[in-house]
Structure formats: C-alpha cells, structure tokens
Amino acid sequence: MATQHKVFKNLYQDSVSLMQISSRLDQMEGIEGASVVMGTEANLARIADAGFGEGIVAKPNDLVIAVQGNTEACEQAIIAAEEALTAKPDDSGTGDSAAQPLTSFALGLEQNPEANLALISVPGEYAAAEAIKALNLGMNVMMFSDNVSIADERRIKLLAVEKNLMVMGPDCGTAIVNGIPLGFANVVRRGAIGVVAASGTGLQEATCRIHQLGEGVSQALGTGGHDLHQDVGGLSMLHGLQALADDPQTDVIVLISKPPAQAIADKILARAAAIAKPVVVNFLGQGSPDVNPEGVFFAGSLAHSAEVAVALYRKQPVPEARQSSESDKHQAADLASRLTPQQRYIRGVFAGGTFCYEAQIIASGYGIQAFSNTPSKGNSPLVDLWHSQGHTIVDLGDDDFTQGRPHPMIDPTLRNQRLLQEAQDPQTAVLLFDLVLGYGASEQPLAELLTVIGQAQQQAAPPVMIAHVCGTDADPQSRQQIQQALTDAGVQLAESNADAAHLAARLVAGL
Amino acid sequence: MIVAHGRGYLCPSQSFDGQVHSVFAKSVNITTSLSEAPWVSVLDSSLPATPTSFQCSLAGLGNPTAKLRVGDGAFMRGGIIRFKPSRMVSVNTLGARSWQPEPELIQLDHPLLHRNLRAVEQALLAHIGNKTGQPISALEDYLKLSGLTVPARLGALPEALFDNLGKGHGLTPAGDDFLLGVLAAAYGLRPLWPQAEQVVQRLAAPGLFNAYQTTSVSAHYLELALAGHFSQPVQRLVFHLLQTADATQVQQALSATLAIGASSGADTSAGIVYAIGQLLPHWI
Amino acid sequence: MNALFTQQLTVLNAGLQSFADNINRAGGTAVALSWQPPGGGDRAGGMALASLLNQPDIEAANQQAMEQYLTAQPMLVDVMRAGDAIPALAEHKRILHAGPPIAWPDMCGPVQGAILGAILYEQWADTLEQAETLIKQGEVSFEPCHHYDAVGPMAGIISRSMPLWVIENAENHQRVFCNFNEGLGKVLRFGANGAEVIERLQWMGTELADAMKAMLAESGPIELKPIMAQALHMGDEVHNRNIAATGLLLKQLLPALLRTALPAEQIQRVVSFITANDHFFLNLSMAACKSMLKAAEGVPHSSMVTVMARNGVNFGIRLSGTGNTWFQAPANPVNGLFFPGYGVEDAAADLGDSAITETAGVGGFAMASSPAIVKFVGGTPADATQNSRSMQRITLGGNPAFTLPALNFAPTAAGIDARKVVDSSVLPIINTGIAHKKAGVGQIGAGITTAPMQCFVDGLTELAKQRNH
C-alpha cells in the first residue's frame, strides 16, 4: 500500500472544511484512508502514527493532505483535493430566505393575515384538533373530513358559537360562500336566495335548480351530515339560518336535511318562524305539519324547494309540488310499452346519497318498496350490496362502497359497472341514475358512461334509462353537451332528481 | 407580537378587514370594514385611551412608521391584528381589559359645580398663561389667542362652533378640540339639564358636520364626540367636574386632560369650561 | 354577526390539494398548506395543542416569561467551590450530571466514566473498582445539574470540590453556576478518568480557581451578554464555536489578572491553560443562557421552553408553566461528520447541558453567524441562514441583544414556544459535538441534531391538563 502527501503552504481552511475534504477523499475508490489537517506538530505526529508517513515537513499555517491506498488512486486523490481546495467558493446561496413550507394554520395565517376560512380535509383522527385550532385563530371552518366523533363535533360547534364563527361539517363536502364554490360545488349565479343544507348533493340540486330557474344564490352553507343529530342539535344549521337572516343580500332562505329528530326539527322551525324573511323547508320525506308556522313553507322535494324559493323571491304564487299530469301518464305508458313482461323492477344507481334517498321516498309514494344500502323508512336493507334484488335503489357514494376507493363523483368506474350490470339484468324495467357536475366531480364524466349506455341499448330488450344531470351551464363540464349526448344515447332526461324519480316510479307502478 | 393590555368599549372583538389609515411614532390608525366599528387605533400606553383604541406598549416595536405604511392591509382574526405586507408587526388584543366610561349624572349640585368650575377655570387659565408666556385672566383672552369665535349665547346658536373647525395646528386643531370639549360638557349635563340636551341635539343634527373641514384623524374623534363618546381623561374630567366634591380628584382629572397632546387637552378643557358656563349661567 | 359574507373569501386549505386548486380556478383565493399531522401524529397531543392555541392567559404568560428572559443581565461575579455554592453537595456524597434524571445502570459510558473519575478526585475511593462498588452500595446519589441551577457540558459532572463560575442576574439577583472547561483531549467531561485527568482537575480546583477569583476581585463583575453579542458578529455561535468569545473574554480577564498579587508562574500557567482552550468561554456562555432562562421560569400557563438538556440517553425539556417537571424522550440521532477512523457505530447519544444555548436563542439558532457547522451535514452558508430563519417559526420572538449579520442584523430567534414546535413540526435545531460511546475516548465528530418531538407533546399535554383544573 502506498502513501502520498502534499503540503499547501499558507493555505488556511477551518477544521470543518478539512473534514469535509478528507471525508470525500476517503470515499474514493482505491483509497484506504485520508487525512487533511493543518501542519501543527500535534497533527503531524498524529498522522505519522496513523501510518501516513514520517518526515512530512509543514508549518502550522500550511495545509497537509495525506492519503493511503493504491498508487494511482493516491495520485487521483491528491489532484482531486487540490481542485477542491482551490475551487471558487460555492455561491448557491440565494441570499433571501427561500419560501418555507406552511405546515399549519397558524403559520398560514401569519403569511396570509386576510385568511378567513379553514378548509379541512385531513384524516379524520386529526380533523377535530385542526378545526379547534382554526376557530381559536379566528377563522371560519369547513370540514370535509369525516369519522369525527359526535362528541368532538359538538365540542367544535359549541366553540364556534362562542366565537361567532361558522363551522360547516364535519362530513361537509359542498358549499358556496361569497359566490365561490367550495369542495364539490357548482358554479351558480349570485343572487338573493340563501341555502343551508345538511346534504351535499341536496345543496347542489337546490342551487343548480335555482340557477336554472333564472335566479341566484347569495350563500349556500353546508352543515355536515350529522349536524341534526340528537346530540349536535343542529348548531350549524341554526347558525347558518341566523347568518342568512342577518345578511342584507339574502331575501329568501332554504333549509334542507333528512328528517331530523322531532325536538331538533321543532327548534329549527321555531327559529325559522321567528325570522322576518320567508323560509322554505325540505326535511326530505317529512310531509308538512298540520299547522304551518307563519313565513315557513314546506317543499316536497329538493327541486321543489328551489321552485318555491324562486316564487317567494319573485313574490309570485307558490307552486305546488309537481303532481302527475295526463301527459306524464302518457309518457310513462309509452316508455313502458317497449318492456318485456319480465322487466318489472326499478334499479336506482346513485352517486349522490340524497338523490338516492329522495328517489326512495318518491317511489314509496307510488307503493314501491325497495331495497337499499341506505334504506329510507319503510324500505329494507339490501342483503348483498353487490347484487340487486327486486326494486333496489343504491347509494354508491356511501362508505360501504367507498372504503379505499375514490367517491363515484370523482371516479365513476364502479358506478358505470353497476349500471351495466343492472341493464343486463332481464328483470330491470327502469334504470334510474344521477350525473353530478361541478368542481370536484370528474371533468370527463361521459366517455365511459356512453360506452356503458351503448352496450345496454344494444340488448334486445334494454331497460328504460332515466337520469338527471345536476349542474349548471357555468360548470367546468358542459352541461348542455352532456345532456345532448345522453339524450342522443336514448336516455330519458328529467329536469331534476324528483322528476326523474317520479317518471321512473310512475312507469314501474303502472306495470 | 405586541400584547394590548387595554381596549376601548367600542373596539371590535372579532374579525375585521381593514387598512392602515395613518401611522405616527406612538400610534397606528386603522379603518375597518365593520359598520359598527369603522375605526380602530393602536396607541402607546402613554397616550390617552379612547373608546376605539387598543392600548399597548409600542416600545418593543421601535418606530411604527418604519414598519407600517398608509394603505397596508390590516386584519383582525381571533383577536389578533396582523398587517400585510409587513409581517413584523402583530397586536394581540385577546387579553386586553376594557375600560368603562364613568356613570351618568345622577344629581345636579349647583354649588359644587360652581366651586369646581371656578377652580378648573383658574387652573386652566394659569396653565395656558404659563404655556404661552402671556398671562391671561379670562376665557375670552384664550379665545382671542387661539383665533376661535363663539356665539353670543351657546344655546341660541351652537352651530356657530363649527366655524372653528380646522382652525389651529396639529393633528387635532384647536377649534376641533374646543368643540369636542363643548360636546363632552353638554353630554355630561344632558341627563338632568334640558338645555344641554338641546345643544346636543342641535350639534349632532345630521348633515351639519363636514368632515372635510378638518383632518381625518380629528374628524374621527369629532364623530365619536357627536355620538357621545370621549377619551378616558376627558370624560373623567367632566364626571369629576359635575359630581365630585374632592377638589384634588378634580385637579388630577384636569391635569390628566391638560397632558393630552401639545395643546389638545387645554383646548378641550376650555370648551368644557365655556359650555358649562354657558349652560348654567346664573350660577357662575 | 359573522363578518365572513362582507369579507373577501381567502381559504387556507389543509388536506387534499385539489380543493385549493379548484377554488383558485373558480376565481377564489386559496392557499394550500403543506399540512402534516402535528406532534409526530400523536392524536391526544394534537388535541391538547388545539386547546392551547391563541388563549389570552397563555399569550399573556408567554409575554411575561419572554420579558423576564429579555431583561436578564447575567454577570460573572465570583468563583466558588461547588460544595459552598450548592450545600446539597457538601451534605451528602452527591454528584451532579448533565441532562434529565437517570439512574446509574442506565447511564452512557462517558457519564459513568466521568462519575468514577469524580469519585477519585473527591477521594471517596482510591481505585475505579472501589468507586464503582461505592456506587453499587448506594453510597452516592446523582442528580441533574439543573436541579441546583447549574449546567455542565457533555457529561456535565459537578462534585463538591470542583470550582464553579457564579453568574448573577443583575435584574433579580438570582444565581446560577457552571463548572470550568478542561480543554480538549483526555478530559473528565468525555469520561476520561486517568491520573492526568484527576491531576488537572486538582490544579483547576486550586491554582486556576484561585486565580480566577482574584481576577474577579480586580475586574469586578463581568457582563456576559456583550461578549456573546460581539462574538456572534465574529463567527461564533457560542456553543460549538467559542474562539472569538474566548479571545474577547481574555481581553477583560488578562489586565485584571496581571493586577493581582499572584506569582508570575501561576499566572503563566493559568494564561497558557486558557489560551490553549478555544472553548474556554463555552461554560460561561452556558451559564449566561441558564441565567437568562431561569428568569423566565415559573410563569403559570406559559408554554415557553426554559431547559433543553441531554444525558447521553434521553433528551429532557422543561416549560416555564409546568414547574420542575421533566419531559423526556430518547435523543434524536446526530447528523454529522466523523473524524477519521470513527463512524456512527462509535457514537454516544446526544449529551450535555449545552443545549441551554439553543434554548436561549444562540448556538444552533444563531447558526447564521457561524455557517461552518453546516458543512458537517453537507450544507452551504445559505442553509445555515435558513436554519436560523426557520427557528423564527417556533419562537415567541427575537432577542435584540443578539443580532445576526447574515440576517441583516435581525435579532436571533429566541423563546421557544412548545406549541409552535408541535404545531409546525419544526424541531429546535442544535449544533453539537459527538462523543465516543466508550468512556474517555473523547470527541469523534460534530454535527446537527434536533430536539425530539415527544418532549414537547408531553409538555403541552401537561400544560393543558393543568388548565382544565
């Protein structure tokens, strides 16, 4: 084994730089050891002990490089060291602090002092803490995160009440605040109708319908799916209701939820009655009470609540929920005429949970009892989630189907498969489904859907396909194009989920 | 982060968006988007507390004028005021204690008021004499010195006082501070003295006050005064003047007021003395 | 009335990036955070943190603690025998060590070696074996230096006959102590306990101590903050780099020493000793920092960190508002370079009370002043500056007494807020030497390490518990 050394006169480097160089040399192939030191007596003695060679002549201000290894490698190493020592200093510093990542709401707020809404979609076990932090920092909160305990939800909402801040969620994926769509929401005209909804797709349907009717939305606030639970007490809905009551831009208010516990419903209706502005209430499936409180109007469906609100805003007579007309019956019979005697059942395949629920309720009005993974009152749980039986109306956005998978609004693969499956079942008379547009939803919802529909239609006796497209002409997807494509593919398009459900149920009931 | 230890009773506690209106060595004024609190000040503890100010020690900040500029964004979230683009300054108002105005006049003791007014007037005139180097013996001399005009009878034409707006130097001109003093006295007497109520009504009549006649900072304080809100030392002075028998307390209240600004306090005190003298003439 | 509807909507997004992207596409304003679970993913700790954020009593408490830390004026006033300064050492066979409490069997090699050396130095035993027997019989008790307002670097061993620097805070007259620095090579603080170590300790406890005491009588109290402040402008960070500070100290020390009546040879030996030791000032730096932080202790509800210390196994911290409770966790590994012949397998875990310097805003926090250390981790001077800047995210403010030229003379970040550490996941950074895990071998490298997250999570949990009662 060879050793080599070189002395650089009057070349000072601090000990750290020296170590860096020696470390680099050490790693070179063929080098057994390297030492880079200033030429003090002690250092020279040390490297002599280490076997780098005696008799190195150097002064304390000289820099010594000593290497051990095979001859060629040693030469290379000395050259490399010389280059490193005489190289220009590395000037990669920017001089300014590079932007440091914002890892928390507190840091985010420091950098963006005007921030006023914290949008939380972190894993459920951390979401409650983030919400409390955001509230303590003085921001309103929207929580897409789910799997937050009822106790934590209550705690978060009580804190929000204390600070007069808004909490939308947990489990709130949809809102439109100050005209900006948040989460899975549609681009809707700004206007004078405010919405507070415990259901995401319910909010979407109502706001889209308002837009389609030519009016606009001031604010659309989500409360999260559990807000009207007994132990949460509707805190978000009450806060939202009051905020809209105080909002000079809001003239009419719409409240949407699945039927709450009686005590909660009473509280909300009492508050609604006390407000000077008209309030439209849709507690899905719950009919209007015997006595209507002053200024409170009950709607029969999501779309109907929009229609009522628009009429109230325009100071026009409030329309009744749509009933069957003669032409409706003709349309149903006409469509039914193409079916075989075997085709008897309604199969609903939904991405929107509230659409699934509303369809069930409407169908039950026609005496249709269905199976579902989220059965409404009077319906039964579906035994095998992956195979329909009799009348079946499923919510593919429910946890049962979305464990470890994206929601069907984002990735419709599972939904499309189920549609085809139902279409190919000889017992399916009507295939009923929704297509939800807007931010967050798939930007290309048609491609595979049309393929599936095409396949279905190619059968000898395809079922009747009925759908509605929840969206507006201002959404990122082109609603008009989509509606046209579906119609061309032979799908019966309805204006709303309620209309679609009515048509489907009417048809099946008449078989 | 600066921690505010005191807050005025009109200060907002939740969130607002706003802009820096003006910055001085010891104060920062902010206009906000809140209709109920359109103006907020952050003042050094050495300045008198106002109903719309947060008091804090600005010493740690150095000079605010170096850190903040007119037009910078100001945002309150969760009780903390932050600024944009400067992120070096933030004010935590969460723990700030609110000061309450003194209670309303419950009884009018004319001899007491007479005594207090005499004492305050003498002390005030002595103070002005010292300051200007020209001894004066009556309020009229002060008015001449300051170039202010007053109506022959306050009750007959209180509106004439608006002619003095903008007269004088400084952030809050003498004419403005004088009017402010008149309002403080009138509001103070108002619960028990109908003539004072009338003066308040006439002065606070909508459309009368033109903010453009004077500086915007002064306009803010006048707007507050027209609505019956005054800085802590001023309303304390009025309270003690009208209700307190202890001459020392009255004297201390006067000293605290005289310490305001360069001459603001003296001008305000003059307005108070003038107004009380006008409203209760047969006792003076 | 919620003002949200009249404000411009500005969203901070934690979680799925697509939400923020869509809001910006739709014409709104959303800022995507780089969110990660706070506190290393400890859920209960995260909830405790949430309840402590932006609370009036905590903000006020922190302001008070910070104020007391900032106004502290540590002065070197005296030299005393440890047993005189700390009576508990004289009363029993008690030996103090660096870091949080730890039992003999669990101690690392250097600390055990140093303790054995101290026992020989105190003449409680004649051989190492006897010393160990004494310990096993329970004759000797061990406590952290911090329990007696003292600090010591590396093993940090203090026994009754050792000389201590006495530092007094001129603001409140409280006193803290630190031992003398022995220099490099075979020294007690790295666990060496041979004859030369003991001899040196004896010389330090007599000639050196006497000289320093006489020197102080001549010079009067020496202000320590100005020395540190100047040193920070000269390439020191007064933890791992102390050479400028030592030089500045000498400038004050020498004239006073020369005025004493001590024999010339003694003075020569003392001066040679000090000038041969580039880290002589370290112990004074540590004591000054301890003095400043002691002033901040004991403010109820305060989340300010007043102690960070390591015992070669565990890293321990204390918070102002939780009294004397230690919050401990295994020390994080050191990221650095080793001297030739040594590697990570030879290294002892992080050791010493010297992290008190970072706790006070210098050392690793002032890395911008002494960028050389980042080369140990393959960084550039810009990285050193960046490290100093990122400490601003976890501190209550800055210390205007210590400014950093590389940051445009901005005050160094100071006053670690445990809440900010847990919330931002930014850990306090510490410049540190690496000791060999075997007693007595000495320093084998240097680098950068961080305080372990769990300590801060536990501290907050305790703070939250106290507030709920």
Side-chain angles (χ1 to χ4, degrees):
Chain A
M1 188 163 65
T3 67
Q4 273 188 42
H5 73 269
K6 182 152 181 172
V7 176
F8 297 84
K9 292 207 157 300
N10 275 315
L11 181 61
Y12 171 78
Q13 293 268 310
D14 67 276
S15 57
V16 178
S17 305
L18 299 181
M19 271 182 45
Q20 242 191 338
I21 297 169
S22 96
S23 170
R24 232 185 301 158
L25 295 180
D26 230 336
Q27 285 161 20
M28 286 176 71
E29 211 174 308
I31 295 293
E32 300 295 326
S35 193
V36 182
V37 294
M38 294 310 293
T40 63
E41 252 191 74
N43 283 341
L44 293 176
R46 200 154 55 78
I47 59 181
D49 282 344
F52 284 101
E54 317 251 354
I56 299 177
V57 178
K59 293 223 273 290
N61 276 342
D62 300 335
L63 192 147
V64 178
I65 298 189
V67 286
Q68 283 177 351
N70 73 54
T71 318
E72 206 188 305
C74 285
E75 277 163 31
Q76 294 297 326
I78 300 282
I79 294 170
E82 182 148 19
E83 272 168 39
L85 284 170
T86 52
K88 288 264 186 290
D90 187 4
D91 196 23
S92 61
T94 57
D96 270 334
S97 86
Q100 302 197 14
L102 302 173
T103 49
S104 70
F105 282 125
L107 289 173
L109 191 55
E110 267 170 44
Q111 292 300 309
N112 302 277
E114 71 276 31
N116 43 26
L117 183 77
L119 178 45
I120 300 172
S121 55
V122 305
E125 66 256 44
Y126 302 112
E130 293 305 315
I132 291 171
K133 279 194 277 193
L135 290 171
N136 278 335
L137 290 169
M139 288 190 285
N140 300 279
V141 170
M142 177 169 166
M143 293 173 79
F144 175 73
S145 305
D146 199 2
N147 294 314
V148 173
S149 72
I150 291 289
D152 279 342
E153 179 164 349
R154 186 177 168 74
R155 185 175 156 196
I156 292 165
K157 292 185 175 182
L158 286 175
L159 182 61
V161 166
E162 196 187 298
K163 299 193 175 279
N164 197 15
L165 292 168
M166 185 152 54
V167 173
M168 299 189 282
D171 189 36
C172 170
T174 306
I176 308 175
V177 175
N178 296 357
I180 307 292
L182 303 174
F184 296 88
N186 303 88
V187 179
V188 169
R189 188 182 299 114
R190 204 76 198 275
I193 301 174
V195 179
V196 188
S199 143
T201 38
L203 191 153
Q204 289 185 271
E205 176 89 332
T207 54
C208 287
R209 192 82 191 114
I210 290 168
H211 178 102
Q212 286 154 18
L213 291 170
E215 292 306 333
V217 166
S218 55
Q219 309 284 347
L221 310 172
T223 65
H226 315 291
D227 187 53
L228 275 66
H229 185 284
Q230 187 70 39
D231 297 325
V232 180
L235 286 171
S236 289
M237 181 161 280
L238 290 168
H239 184 106
L241 181 56
Q242 193 59 47
L244 292 178
D246 295 335
D247 176 33
Q249 308 300 323
T250 301
D251 292 346
V252 177
I253 300 169
V254 177
L255 302 181
I256 296 170
S257 163
K258 289 194 188 158
Q262 191 57 49
I264 314 286
D266 289 342
K267 202 163 40 150
I268 291 171
L269 292 176
R271 191 75 72 80
I275 288 170
K277 303 174 185 174
V279 179
V280 182
V281 177
N282 183 18
F283 291 157
L284 272 72
Q286 202 176 66
S288 44
D290 301 320
V291 183
N292 279 14
E294 179 83 41
V296 179
F297 303 82
F298 291 85
S301 71
L302 295 166
H304 186 228
S305 52
E307 287 148 21
V308 171
V310 167
L312 286 167
Y313 171 70
R314 292 174 175 163
K315 305 226 186 330
Q316 290 168 356
V318 169
E320 296 277 330
R322 210 163 133 200
Q323 303 293 348
S324 282
S325 63
E326 279 306 309
S327 63
D328 290 335
K329 294 198 182 112
H330 277 307
Q331 185 193 17
D334 191 42
L335 291 169
S337 64
R338 311 172 204 170
L339 298 170
T340 70
Q342 225 192 342
Q343 286 171 305
R344 307 172 43 225
Y345 295 128
I346 184 173
R347 297 287 160 80
V349 178
F350 287 95
T354 312
F355 295 150
C356 173
Y357 196 84
E358 189 172 65
Q360 290 182 62
I361 291 168
I362 289 171
S364 71
Y366 290 80
I368 296 172
Q369 276 189 315
F371 294 91
S372 174
N373 60 324
T374 55
S376 62
K377 201 160 114 174
N379 281 351
S380 313
L382 185 60
V383 173
D384 177 359
L385 295 182
W386 301 92
H387 292 94
S388 303
Q389 55 178 120
H391 300 297
T392 298
I393 303 173
V394 289
D395 171 14
L396 289 181
D398 192 61
D399 282 349
D400 299 321
F401 292 103
T402 56
Q403 288 295 345
R405 270 195 205 87
H407 193 279
M409 270 167 62
I410 303 170
D411 176 0
T413 307
L414 208 62
R415 195 275 309 271
N416 294 342
Q417 280 171 11
R418 188 62 176 254
L419 280 175
L420 189 58
Q421 182 183 310
E422 302 300 345
Q424 289 171 340
D425 183 336
Q427 296 192 302
T428 304
V430 170
L431 193 48
L432 177 64
F433 63 97
D434 60 356
L435 188 55
V436 184
L437 308 181
Y439 280 104
S442 166
E443 302 269 328
Q444 306 295 336
L446 273 189
E448 280 159 35
L449 179 59
L450 288 178
T451 311
V452 157
I453 292 173
Q455 280 183 281
Q457 297 287 41
Q458 265 160 31
Q459 298 174 108
V464 176
M465 289 192 263
I466 301 173
H468 94 285
V469 178
C470 176
T472 72
D473 45 21
D475 279 335
Q477 308 87 347
S478 169
R479 182 172 188 248
Q480 225 186 354
Q481 236 178 42
I482 289 168
Q483 287 186 306
Q484 191 60 54
L486 288 173
T487 308
D488 291 345
V491 176
Q492 306 298 321
L493 277 189
E495 273 302 294
S496 68
N497 186 57
D499 281 357
H502 272 290
L503 177 57
R506 196 176 306 124
L507 201 161
V508 168
L511 291 176
Chain B
M1 172 135 76
I2 305 164
V3 175
H5 54 77
R7 67 191 293 138
Y9 58 88
L10 291 180
C11 284
S13 38
Q14 284 155 38
S15 65
F16 67 70
D17 288 5
Q19 276 195 330
V20 173
H21 169 278
S22 42
V23 193
F24 304 96
K26 295 211 172 152
S27 62
V28 179
N29 295 316
I30 299 166
T31 50
T32 80
S33 55
L34 297 176
S35 53
E36 66 269 25
W39 175 293
V40 164
S41 302
V42 176
L43 304 181
D44 185 70
S45 317
S46 58
L47 298 182
T50 77
T52 55
S53 75
F54 291 105
Q55 307 297 109
C56 55
S57 166
L58 284 182
L61 189 53
N63 196 335
T65 58
K67 305 230 160 84
L68 296 173
R69 286 214 286 267
V70 174
D72 280 356
F75 304 93
M76 180 185 273
R77 300 286 187 265
I80 299 181
I81 305 175
R82 297 184 184 85
F83 298 89
K84 195 169 179 169
S86 166
R87 298 199 190 94
M88 294 195 287
V89 188
S90 59
V91 183
N92 190 329
T93 70
L94 273 184
R97 292 226 189 82
S98 191
W99 62 269
Q100 294 303 322
E102 305 289 348
E104 273 192 352
L105 185 63
I106 44 173
Q107 91 177 19
L108 204 49
D109 181 344
H110 291 268
L112 178 149
L113 178 51
H114 173 80
R115 275 198 305 278
N116 284 344
L117 189 66
R118 266 276 134 81
V120 166
E121 183 171 7
Q122 276 178 2
L124 172 62
L125 293 175
H127 170 92
I128 296 173
N130 281 336
K131 264 254 169 117
T132 58
Q134 300 178 308
I136 56 173
S137 53
L139 207 57
E140 289 69 33
D141 300 329
Y142 156 79
L143 291 171
K144 239 197 308 190
L145 262 175
S146 321
L148 304 181
T149 57
V150 295
R153 284 201 307 117
L154 175 63
L157 197 62
E159 296 84 353
L161 291 171
F162 283 101
D163 294 340
N164 290 323
L165 287 199
K167 280 195 200 160
H169 311 290
L171 210 49
T172 55
D176 300 29
D177 289 322
F178 185 84
L179 173 58
L180 206 141
V182 170
L183 284 164
Y187 265 102
L189 277 170
R190 178 200 210 194
L192 294 182
W193 199 247
Q195 285 85 333
E197 167 73 37
Q198 280 162 29
V199 167
V200 166
Q201 298 273 16
R202 286 179 70 163
L203 287 174
L208 194 56
F209 169 51
N210 179 4
Y212 292 105
Q213 263 179 281
T214 184
T215 73
S216 49
V217 171
S218 192
H220 163 67
Y221 289 117
L222 271 173
E223 269 157 13
L224 283 180
L226 287 166
H229 302 294
F230 305 93
S231 72
Q232 197 176 26
V234 167
Q235 64 107 292
R236 270 229 181 106
L237 173 58
V238 170
F239 171 78
H240 285 305
L241 229 174
L242 297 182
Q243 308 206 50
T244 302
D246 182 352
T248 327
Q249 276 195 300
V250 179
Q251 210 47 240
Q252 277 170 355
L254 176 64
S255 303
T257 302
L258 290 175
I260 301 175
S263 62
S264 279
D267 297 322
T268 308
S269 306
I272 293 172
V273 167
Y274 161 77
I276 295 180
Q278 285 284 312
L279 289 168
L280 299 161
H282 23 286
W283 293 99
I284 303 310
Chain C
M1 170 63 212
N2 190 327
L4 180 62
F5 299 158
T6 55
Q7 294 165 357
Q8 175 100 353
L9 183 70
T10 304
V11 176
L12 293 181
N13 187 61
L16 307 174
Q17 169 102 20
S18 57
F19 283 137
D21 294 340
N22 283 339
I23 290 170
N24 288 320
R25 273 174 66 200
T29 308
V31 174
L33 301 178
S34 307
W35 185 89
Q36 56 183 115
D42 182 323
R43 192 188 174 273
M47 284 300 266
L49 162 69
S51 70
L52 299 172
L53 213 65
N54 205 22
Q55 300 297 306
D57 54 340
I58 299 183
E59 311 310 321
N62 283 345
Q63 207 209 11
Q64 189 189 333
M66 188 66 178
E67 186 65 21
Q68 287 166 195
Y69 150 79
L70 286 173
T71 51
Q73 292 301 335
M75 316 276 283
L76 172 59
V77 296
D78 201 358
V79 170
M80 286 173 80
R81 249 181 98 258
D84 297 329
I86 303 170
L89 292 180
E91 290 154 15
H92 308 280
K93 285 191 171 60
R94 180 176 278 124
I95 292 182
L96 305 183
H97 62 80
I102 186 163
W104 169 261
D106 303 321
M107 291 179 184
C108 69
V111 175
Q112 286 186 334
I115 285 173
L116 293 174
I119 290 175
L120 293 186
Y121 165 67
E122 295 296 342
Q123 296 173 1
W124 297 339
D126 296 319
T127 67
L128 295 172
E129 293 72 30
Q130 281 179 21
E132 190 150 358
T133 308
L134 205 63
I135 293 171
K136 296 232 167 89
Q137 285 168 350
E139 297 282 334
V140 186
S141 65
F142 307 110
E143 267 195 87
C145 295
H146 277 289
H147 285 192
Y148 295 97
D149 293 329
V151 283
M154 298 315 287
I157 299 305
I158 295 178
S159 61
R160 64 169 72 131
S161 307
M162 293 183 185
L164 296 182
W165 296 115
V166 180
I167 276 74
E168 184 172 304
N169 180 354
E171 279 297 304
N172 61 13
H173 304 295
Q174 288 176 332
R175 291 185 159 196
V176 301
F177 313 100
C178 189
N179 55 9
F180 283 24
N181 196 291
E182 302 154 85
L184 292 171
K186 299 251 177 270
V187 288
L188 191 77
R189 73 177 184 281
F190 281 103
N193 49 28
E196 88 240 46
V197 175
I198 311 297
E199 272 165 37
R200 188 190 304 111
L201 286 174
Q202 282 161 350
W203 176 81
M204 287 166 70
T206 51
E207 273 209 352
L208 181 61
D210 293 341
M212 290 295 98
K213 195 173 175 91
M215 180 277 296
L216 275 171
E218 283 297 322
S219 67
I222 296 179
E223 281 189 80
L224 294 175
K225 271 165 84 169
I227 296 178
M228 293 162 73
Q230 225 186 328
L232 288 175
H233 290 183
M234 294 166 67
D236 277 3
E237 32 75 291
V238 295
H239 176 171
N240 264 294
R241 214 117 280 218
N242 297 284
I243 185 169
T246 301
L248 291 169
L249 175 70
L250 267 175
K251 279 177 51 153
Q252 292 199 41
L253 222 152
L254 269 178
L257 192 59
L258 292 173
R259 287 201 297 274
T260 65
L262 296 169
E265 289 91 5
Q266 182 180 5
I267 292 181
Q268 275 169 18
R269 281 189 289 272
V270 165
V271 170
S272 301
F273 180 80
I274 296 174
T275 52
N277 183 358
D278 287 347
H279 290 290
F280 188 72
F281 187 82
L282 169 64
N283 297 43
L284 288 169
S285 168
M286 288 170 59
C289 292
K290 176 65 182 171
S291 174
M292 291 187 260
L293 288 161
K294 181 174 168 65
E297 284 177 1
V299 180
H301 303 303
S302 169
S303 57
M304 179 170 161
V305 177
T306 52
V307 172
M308 291 200 294
R310 318 84 108 208
N311 58 24
V313 177
N314 288 327
F315 193 110
I317 72 166
R318 282 176 163 180
L319 305 183
S320 177
T322 51
N324 287 335
T325 313
W326 283 102
F327 302 104
Q328 296 188 46
N332 280 346
V334 181
N335 184 15
L337 287 177
F338 291 90
F339 301 152
Y342 297 107
V344 67
E345 62 283 355
D346 304 310
D350 204 21
L351 175 63
D353 285 333
S354 57
I356 197 73
T357 55
E358 278 82 12
T359 315
V362 291
F365 280 48
M367 212 186 296
S369 280
S370 184
I373 196 120
V374 283
K375 289 182 154 186
F376 281 99
V377 294
T380 65
D383 293 322
T385 304
Q386 193 68 347
N387 280 333
S388 279
R389 267 198 219 284
S390 73
M391 292 302 102
Q392 289 169 352
R393 326 186 104 195
I394 58 172
T395 48
L396 292 167
N399 191 337
F402 303 133
T403 57
L404 307 181
L407 295 183
N408 289 329
F409 294 96
T412 191
I416 301 169
D417 185 343
R419 298 174 302 168
K420 292 191 182 188
V421 173
V422 177
D423 196 28
S424 66
S425 301
V426 173
L427 296 172
I429 204 159
I430 297 166
N431 287 349
T432 188
I434 307 173
H436 198 286
K437 64 187 178 192
K438 279 214 289 266
V441 178
Q443 185 174 359
I444 61 170
I448 296 174
T449 187
T450 50
M453 176 60 82
Q454 194 58 44
C455 298
F456 302 92
V457 173
D458 292 343
L460 291 187
T461 306
E462 180 62 28
L463 204 62
K465 206 159 65 160
Q466 280 179 8
R467 285 178 87 240
N468 290 332
H469 288 134

